[in-house]
Amino acid sequence: ALTQIDCRPAGLHWSCYGRYRREHGSDNLDFLAEAHSDWQVNFEPMQQAVASWRVAVPFLPLESVALRRPQQNEAWFVSALQAMLPAFNELRLETPQALPLRVPLDAAQRPLERPANLAQYRRRLLRVQAPLRSLSLLLPEAAHLSWERVELHVVPVDTPTVLKSSLRVSLTGVLYEIDRPDAHSAAHAGADARAG
């Protein structure tokens, strides 16, 4: 019986493992007969099996996605999350942080000054815990998200409710956003500089 799946990105793949509990009347041979041919299987030896596998995933560069500005995320994305709160045990969005960049150097090995019109990418950590079915609410808003860990837990529940389910998921991810200098303000600043 499946009890847990844990997946994390590793290079160009997701690296996953599943933990299984031996049920009455089954043995390791039964498990191996049903295991997928790509799995690596280890037994803990009397009562559990752990299967590991890799899944190829497409990776998109940030510039290929129409990222929102921080103000747009505060207005629309956070409002969408607020509407979902009753269906999630945890739904937390951290404050934005600039993506670390390696500053280019000039011929004298001094850091180049950042161009005034250069956009800045930001990331905000997102943590989610909920019944698996609640993720259907999050999917329409996931275009700007990148997941760093996905966990599924199978825990029997006598009486399911909105927040209690035998299939529980935990996600850790990142919301990406872009902070672009206002072109209108930049044009005015240039005009003021020329007038001065």
Side-chain angles (χ1 to χ4, degrees), residues 25-186:
S26 65
D27 60 25
N28 291 358
L29 287 173
D30 293 332
F31 186 85
L32 290 171
E34 297 295 328
H36 195 280
S37 60
D38 290 344
W39 288 2
Q40 293 183 352
V41 178
N42 293 299
F43 294 101
E44 296 179 357
M46 301 305 291
Q47 299 298 331
Q48 292 194 73
V50 177
S52 58
W53 64 92
R54 297 188 341 159
V55 180
V57 291
F59 285 83
L60 299 175
L62 282 179
E63 61 267 16
S64 70
V65 181
L67 298 179
R68 296 177 182 145
R69 293 184 179 205
Q71 300 84 348
Q72 293 171 315
N73 280 325
E74 290 291 342
W76 296 310
F77 181 67
V78 174
S79 293
L81 295 183
Q82 289 166 335
M84 300 175 201
L85 281 173
F88 287 78
N89 301 92
E90 179 183 14
L91 192 51
R92 188 173 64 205
L93 187 64
E94 304 287 346
T95 56
Q97 295 181 340
L99 284 183
L101 297 176
R102 182 177 298 156
V103 179
L105 305 176
D106 64 13
Q109 299 300 305
R110 292 174 301 208
L112 291 175
E113 187 175 332
R114 182 185 181 88
N117 61 347
L118 185 65
Q120 184 175 33
Y121 290 106
R122 300 179 188 270
R123 53 181 274 147
R124 303 179 70 169
L125 290 179
L126 178 66
R127 301 185 193 280
V128 175
Q129 287 188 3
L132 180 62
R133 61 178 174 266
S134 297
L135 291 189
S136 62
L137 299 172
L138 191 60
L139 284 176
E141 303 297 330
H144 307 106
L145 299 173
S146 174
W147 299 112
E148 296 181 342
R149 186 172 184 182
V150 178
E151 294 178 89
L152 174 72
H153 295 272
V154 182
V155 182
V157 171
D158 291 334
T159 308
T161 66
V162 171
L163 292 177
K164 287 175 66 176
S165 169
S166 59
L167 297 177
R168 306 194 51 73
V169 68
S170 297
L171 303 174
T172 304
V174 174
L175 168 68
Y176 288 101
E177 54 192 18
I178 190 165
D179 195 5
R180 288 191 179 93
D182 188 348
H184 182 70
S185 297

Side-chain angles (χ1 to χ4, degrees), residues 7-16 54-60 147:
C7 294
R8 305 180 200 204
L12 298 177
H13 295 81
W14 278 82
S15 177
C16 300
R54 297 188 341 159
V55 180
V57 291
F59 285 83
L60 299 175
W147 299 112

